[in-house]
Amino acid sequence: MNTGDTAFILVSAALVFFMTPGLAFFYGGLERRKNVLNTMMSSFFIMGLASVLWVLIGYSLSFSGDNLGIIGNLKLFCLNGIAEDAVSPYASTIPQFAFVAFQMMFAIITPALITGSVAGRMNFKALFIFIVLWSLVVYYPLAHMVWGAGGFMGSVLGAVDFAGGNVVHISSGVSGLVLCIMLGKRNGYDRLSYRIHNIPFVLLGASILWFGWFGFNAGSALSAGSLAAHALMTTNTSAAAAMLSWMIIDMVKQGKPTVVGACTGAVLGLVAITPGAGFVPLWSAFIIGAVVSPLAYFTVSVIKKRIGFDDALDAFGCHGIGGIWGGIATGLFAKSSINSVARWDGLVFGDYRLFTAQIISILLTIAVAVVGTLVCASVIKLFIPLRVSEKEEKRGMDITQHGEDAYPSFNGLD
């Protein structure tokens, strides 16, 4: 084992952990005043729930053994059987517990991303149970299929996903879309103006996410070497390009750049580069970042309105669309000389095989997310209402779901 690599992964794990509170601020700032605590809590509680699930069964189902390339087994239930000095089978220079901790942080933030789609109307008790079932039915199988030894998408199909385009962003974005459609629109969605209540929160959250994403992507190299440095640079470059791209869109559409737009663009660039951060050349990060903002803007401003779904905080528009574009872009620009995990070069370099594998893996991820979400939500509906009552929604999620008020001295209209 290498102490430098171990320290790097532990710090990276801490950075990724910090992203979930960052997401809470990002989503909380975007929501209405009367729902801010519920929105932030919807991310925060998962830090506890997903951690417990990961230690009990999540890691074992994701990274222990293999069953038909779909799921692992329970040989490492509660992490029993892992010696204190055991080396990770996925990275020879770090302890297995370091790898367990790093992957746990992904299992925490991924379901938290879904909550942006259903903000302002989902019964918190139903959300709690949904996260448990969704982790079992969607996240752990996808983590195994993409990253686990013998997993179908990675080991058999040959698709690549450096830090979670499929596993994290497409799965959560598509699941959020399905869940928000099942819940229905917020009351007054077609009549009222839903104003962002705290833009400084949005800026703070985006900044924390950007900072933590260096651990998210660079840490996925699983060693403190040149690949980690490469991933960090592609990550920052894509985020910067996407932020500038969204600011240009704002200038064209509104005549002035918005803070929320700049924050949204930066997060989009981070999402889009995630699957290819350790596979694509640095110059392609400019393209990946610059293209994702107009794609997401079109989805949010045109497609969302025409179809009429209420993706409250645009989790699908950001993570779903950004993840899909990132996976496609990886199939276009990846080079095996950068990372030999990629069996083939991307389409831009004359080989179609990786591009084909990427498209298939994206479609499979969408299918797993759609079916898994439908199953989980349908089961919960048999026992608990998915949505709060109209009266509770009007009064506000903070008071009705948690008995607390973020701004008790505020007496104005919301």
Side-chain angles (χ1 to χ4, degrees), residues 44-65:
F44 188 74
F45 88 90
I46 297 174
M47 295 164 68
L49 178 60
S51 295
V52 170
L53 287 173
W54 188 250
V55 172
L56 288 174
I57 58 174
Y59 178 77
S60 189
L61 289 174
S62 301
F63 293 103
S64 173

Side-chain angles (χ1 to χ4, degrees), residues 318-333:
C318 182
H319 298 279
I321 296 301
I324 290 170
W325 162 239
I328 293 172
T330 302
L332 292 173
F333 300 115

Side-chain angles (χ1 to χ4, degrees), residues 72 109 134 136 146 167 170 175 191 216 248 304 350 368 397:
I109 195 170
W134 188 88
L136 291 168
V146 174
V167 182
I170 298 176
S175 294
R191 304 186 309 274
F216 198 92
I248 291 171
K304 178 181 173 181
V368 171
M397 301 291 285

Side-chain angles (χ1 to χ4, degrees), residues 26 82 199 225 304 348 359 361 414:
F26 186 75
I82 299 180
I199 293 176
K304 178 181 173 181
V348 167
I359 297 298
S361 72
D414 196 355

